[in-house]
Amino acid sequence: MASMKLSAPPATSQWIGGGRSTFERRVSMLPMVRRGAVAPIRAGAYTDELVQTAKSIASPGRGILAIDESNATCGKRLASIGLDNTETNRQAYRQLLLTTPGLGDYISGAILFEETLYQSTTGGKKFVECLRDENIMPGIKVDKGLVPLPGSNNESWCQGLDGLASRCAEYYKQGARFAKWRTVVSIPCGPSALAVKEAAWGLARYAAISQDNGLVPIVEPEILLDGDHAIERTLEVAEKVWSEVFFYLAENNVMFEGILLKPSMVTPGAEHKAKASPETIANYTLTMLKRRVPPAVPGIMFLSGGQSEVEATLNLNAMNQSPNPWHVSFSYARALQNSVLKTWKGLPENIDAAQKALLVRAKANSLAQLGRYSADGEAEEAKKGMFQKGYTY
């Protein structure tokens, strides 16, 4: 397939009023380091393991299955097919997903909710062992959710740093090898400098603590799709957010070779009057990443953020039409699970069909990671958007 020849989006100022970003200003003030005196960043006793874990997850043609929804959110998914939100039903659904034969051909990591990390199949086999048998790395959601941020413009911050080290150590013992912490940034709400700094600092502290306890941190400041803004505004905010994130990651001595990123794609707001093509989204997103993300980072694992299953796959495919400095792949929840749920309907006799539906979506995104996906033959259901205003995870 021919490479796309697209002009780069214009450079954007990092803060309202122009000028250099916080990251650029602070870096310019750092003293020059004597040549040959730079010591490598080490992540404690786990350095080599963290690098290997990150490389394994960022392997060609594979990405992440995110099934770390809270029990409340999982309950909403189950309610959509008429099931009660009970532990038995949550376990049955997660068993369907995690025991799908051949899943490891397309999936390299699975993010679990704490309940799932400790669960087993009805036959008594730990879910972690099911994943290991498919060469899939078990991961774990470690944040404690979003709460209002005092002093901000109706924005949120992510809690969970208290006790994080001991939780990470326990998750490692249970078999988890990577972690996820999701915070959000809202464009309609500003974003305020306070909210951006809080998001960046929290992600950096979490990343350092995770690495110190053997878990590869997924760094995820989700820029919400909510709003009617143009794609240029999303680019401006994304560059602002990621400049802050990488400044604080460096300040906390986080080893970049042992992290993964989970960014939002650079798209117009969900309520913007004009939709952007996959090629335009790829162009803006890759421009932002090349301006902000060091090549030392092994993998960029995009979130779907309410895009339709097909949209998320087409956009990923467009980003892999030419070589990138990092593994560019997926970490999808709804964009991998929507068809599965609707096929399963909570009926035991539909399990095989639902697992096949999961493999169809996983294979489609595997092909997109390799730049070989085509939407020909996709079902209409897979083309339906899943954006929900004010969505909570």
Side-chain angles (χ1 to χ4, degrees):
M1 194 177 293
S3 299
M4 295 183 296
K5 294 184 178 178
L6 301 171
S7 59
T12 57
S13 61
Q14 305 312 306
W15 297 98
I16 300 302
R20 292 181 297 172
S21 69
T22 303
F23 177 79
E24 292 164 331
R25 291 197 306 272
R26 287 168 176 163
V27 167
S28 70
M29 293 187 288
L30 293 174
M32 293 296 291
V33 179
R34 181 170 56 85
R35 183 174 297 177
V38 179
I41 297 294
R42 305 289 292 177
Y46 296 100
T47 299
D48 294 338
E49 183 181 349
L50 292 167
V51 171
Q52 286 306 117
T53 298
K55 285 182 178 177
S56 175
I57 296 171
S59 55
R62 301 205 298 165
I64 294 173
L65 170 63
I67 56 169
D68 58 314
E69 302 92 343
S70 66
N71 288 346
T73 302
C74 190
K76 294 176 185 177
R77 304 266 172 90
L78 294 174
S80 72
I81 57 170
L83 291 183
D84 292 334
N85 185 14
T86 65
E87 183 176 355
T88 299
N89 286 337
R90 293 192 299 270
Q91 186 267 354
Y93 178 53
R94 288 158 177 165
Q95 177 170 320
L96 183 161
L97 297 170
L98 299 178
T99 61
T100 298
L103 188 62
D105 292 343
Y106 315 116
I107 299 296
S108 55
I111 312 173
L112 310 177
F113 191 61
E114 186 176 63
E115 176 182 78
T116 318
L117 183 69
Y118 292 89
Q119 283 178 326
S120 302
T121 67
T122 51
K125 187 174 183 178
K126 291 281 189 184
F127 282 150
V128 168
E129 293 176 22
C130 295
L131 292 172
R132 292 285 189 192
D133 288 348
E134 283 282 344
N135 193 28
I136 299 172
M137 286 284 183
I140 179 70
K141 169 185 165 73
V142 299
D143 68 74
K144 293 295 183 181
L146 300 169
V147 292
L149 177 62
S152 72
N153 186 26
N154 229 4
E155 295 161 290
S156 301
W157 69 286
C158 188
Q159 58 188 344
L161 288 176
D162 287 351
L164 179 59
S166 59
R167 295 201 310 276
C168 285
E170 182 58 31
Y171 297 149
Y172 184 91
K173 290 178 184 176
Q174 289 296 321
R177 289 298 178 267
F178 69 103
K180 176 197 156 181
W181 175 287
R182 173 185 177 262
T183 192
V184 301
V185 173
S186 170
I187 293 179
C189 290
S192 67
L194 173 64
V196 172
K197 182 175 181 179
E198 176 59 45
W201 177 256
L203 284 165
R205 290 303 307 138
Y206 137 78
I209 293 167
S210 295
Q211 286 190 340
D212 198 48
N213 288 279
L215 302 181
V216 168
I218 289 181
V219 178
E220 181 184 2
E222 179 176 355
I223 298 171
L224 299 171
L225 280 176
D226 302 61
D228 60 1
H229 49 277
I231 195 170
E232 291 81 6
R233 175 59 178 156
T234 310
L235 175 66
E236 179 183 23
V237 172
E239 290 187 350
K240 176 198 306 183
V241 170
W242 282 106
S243 68
E244 287 288 289
V245 168
F246 272 100
F247 173 79
Y248 285 115
L249 287 172
E251 195 167 70
N252 281 273
N253 294 314
V254 172
M255 181 180 64
F256 292 170
E257 293 86 350
I259 66 173
L260 296 166
L261 306 188
K262 187 170 179 176
S264 310
M265 297 179 189
V266 178
T267 69
E271 297 159 288
H272 187 64
K273 56 181 182 272
K275 290 196 68 165
S277 68
E279 291 75 21
T280 299
I281 290 170
N283 189 25
Y284 274 79
T285 303
L286 290 174
T287 295
M288 182 275 293
L289 293 173
K290 288 172 182 176
R291 289 172 176 171
R292 291 292 176 265
V293 180
V297 174
I300 312 288
M301 321 299 283
F302 282 102
L303 58 90
S304 54
Q307 301 175 73
S308 75
E309 291 176 328
V310 171
E311 265 185 313
T313 310
L314 282 170
N315 292 337
L316 177 63
N317 187 70
M319 281 183 254
N320 282 299
Q321 293 307 299
S322 57
N324 291 303
W326 341 262
H327 175 79
V328 174
S329 193
F330 60 93
S331 177
Y332 293 165
R334 286 174 283 175
L336 283 173
Q337 296 181 50
N338 192 49
S339 295
V340 180
L341 265 173
K342 293 182 177 180
T343 302
W344 178 44
K345 299 177 183 176
L347 301 174
E349 59 266 31
N350 290 343
I351 289 175
D352 286 347
Q355 289 181 329
K356 287 175 182 175
L358 175 59
L359 288 178
V360 166
R361 294 265 42 96
K363 183 178 181 181
N365 286 289
S366 169
L367 290 170
Q369 197 288 309
L370 299 169
R372 302 173 191 164
Y373 168 75
S374 168
D376 294 344
E378 286 278 20
E380 287 303 310
E381 184 64 36
K383 298 176 183 178
K384 294 180 181 178
M386 293 176 280
F387 169 73
Q388 297 176 28
K389 192 170 184 177
Y391 178 76
T392 56
Y393 201 67

